[in-house]
């Protein structure tokens, strides 16, 4: 049994989760402080990948990152880096589809934050950076944790955008989801079911870890 799809899926999900964690928190924090109109417009733009079909998200990414399109052509011509049909192309796809989950949950947590805690910190002379990381983030940790887990799980199970952006090449771009589809397509249902069990086991471990963390905090 070739374990590359497992390694590649975990690698893509972990890297995309780190990217989404910081970008999602940054966007959620600043957008939650904007006016209603600006917030509404940005909400629509940033959460579109959550409601669009994954294949549509993948197609839109190809229009930007493809070798015949602006960004992809620049990287290929000047830096000799191909942004599609590579293992790291899966990171672009995973970030695009999982970002809305992190953004929405983090923004909801920040909007429910009791601002009197921040004001109290300011009266004590604490910096905004200190208040953010040592007061606001711990108070919103449940929402942040939920968004992080959902983003990781979404990245791990991503198929539509990944198949269009990274494709399926054994030992190079294969992930668990694309491997399951290819094995099913070639009538190798036994091996496909094994990979399904692997994915279920990983998801169960992640959810169990979250539940244990929540109990420990309580």
């Amino acid at each position: 049994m070739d374990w590359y799809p497992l390694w590649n899926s975990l690698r893509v999900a972990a890297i995309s989760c780190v990217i989404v964690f910081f970008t999602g928190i940054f966007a959620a924090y600043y957008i939650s402080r904007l006016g209603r109109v600006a917030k509404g417009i940005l909400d629509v733009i940033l959460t579109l990948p959550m409601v669009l079909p994954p294949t549509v998200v993948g197609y839109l990414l190809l229009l930007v990152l493809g070798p015949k399109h602006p960004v992809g052509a620049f990287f290929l011509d000047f830096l000799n880096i191909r942004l599609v049909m590579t293992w790291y192309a899966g990171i672009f796809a995973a970030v695009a589809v999982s970002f809305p989950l992190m953004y929405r949950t983090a923004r909801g947590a920040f909007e429910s934050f009791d601002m009197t805690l921040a004001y109290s910190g300011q009266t004590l002379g604490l910096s905004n950076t200190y208040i953010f990381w040592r007061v606001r983030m711990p108070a919103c940790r449940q929402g942040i944790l939920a968004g992080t887990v959902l983003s990781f799980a979404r990245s791990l199970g991503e198929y539509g955008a990944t198949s269009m952006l990274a494709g399926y090449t054994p030992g190079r771009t294969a992930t668990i989801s694309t491997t399951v589809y290819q094995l099913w397509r070639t009538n190798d249902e036994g091996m496909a079911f094994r990979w399904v069990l692997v994915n279920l086991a990983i998801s169960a471990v992640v959810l169990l870890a979250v539940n244990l963390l929540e109990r420990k905090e309580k």
Side-chain angles (χ1 to χ4, degrees):
M1 187 171 180
D2 180 16
W3 291 102
Y4 179 84
L6 173 61
W7 152 245
N8 192 38
S9 295
L10 292 176
R11 173 173 57 175
V12 169
I15 296 175
S16 63
C17 188
V18 172
I19 296 173
V20 166
F21 177 81
F22 289 102
T23 56
I25 288 176
F26 176 83
Y29 176 69
Y30 285 102
I31 291 176
S32 65
R33 304 170 67 182
L34 296 177
R36 180 179 300 177
V37 176
K39 184 189 299 184
I41 294 174
L42 291 174
D43 266 350
V44 171
I45 296 173
L46 295 178
T47 56
L48 264 178
M50 189 167 60
V51 296
L52 288 174
T55 50
V56 174
V57 176
Y59 174 75
L60 294 175
L61 289 173
L62 283 175
L63 293 181
V64 178
L65 304 177
K68 296 182 180 180
H69 297 283
V71 177
F74 173 82
F75 274 85
L76 186 60
D77 295 338
F78 294 96
L79 302 177
N80 197 27
I81 298 176
R82 188 178 182 87
L83 298 182
V84 298
M85 300 305 159
T86 58
W87 75 265
Y88 49 83
I91 298 175
F92 304 136
V95 168
V97 299
S98 63
F99 174 85
L101 294 172
M102 186 69 204
Y103 164 71
R104 295 293 296 188
T105 53
R107 207 199 78 184
F110 287 147
E111 289 180 343
S112 63
F113 174 71
D114 186 0
M115 287 301 297
T116 57
L117 297 176
Y119 298 146
S120 300
Q122 291 174 352
T123 60
L124 295 174
L126 301 178
S127 65
N128 290 330
T129 302
Y130 183 93
I131 292 173
F132 178 83
W133 290 108
R134 300 301 297 273
V135 179
R136 189 184 300 268
M137 286 292 288
C140 300
R141 61 182 177 273
Q142 291 295 338
I144 301 298
L145 178 62
T148 303
V149 173
L150 288 174
S151 299
F152 180 83
R154 182 67 183 86
S155 299
L156 187 66
E158 163 55 28
Y159 171 76
T162 300
S163 63
M164 296 191 67
L165 212 62
Y168 173 78
T169 304
R172 294 183 58 189
T173 66
T175 62
I176 294 177
S177 56
T178 57
T179 299
V180 169
Y181 174 76
Q182 291 297 325
L183 291 172
W184 170 82
R185 192 173 65 86
T186 56
N187 294 322
D188 192 352
E189 295 189 3
M191 188 63 70
F193 185 70
R194 290 184 186 179
W195 279 113
V196 170
L197 292 178
V198 170
N199 204 348
L200 287 173
I202 296 173
S203 301
V205 169
V206 171
L207 294 177
L208 180 60
V210 172
N211 290 333
L212 290 177
L213 287 174
E214 289 181 348
R215 291 182 181 179
K216 185 176 181 180
E217 289 178 356
K218 290 180 181 180

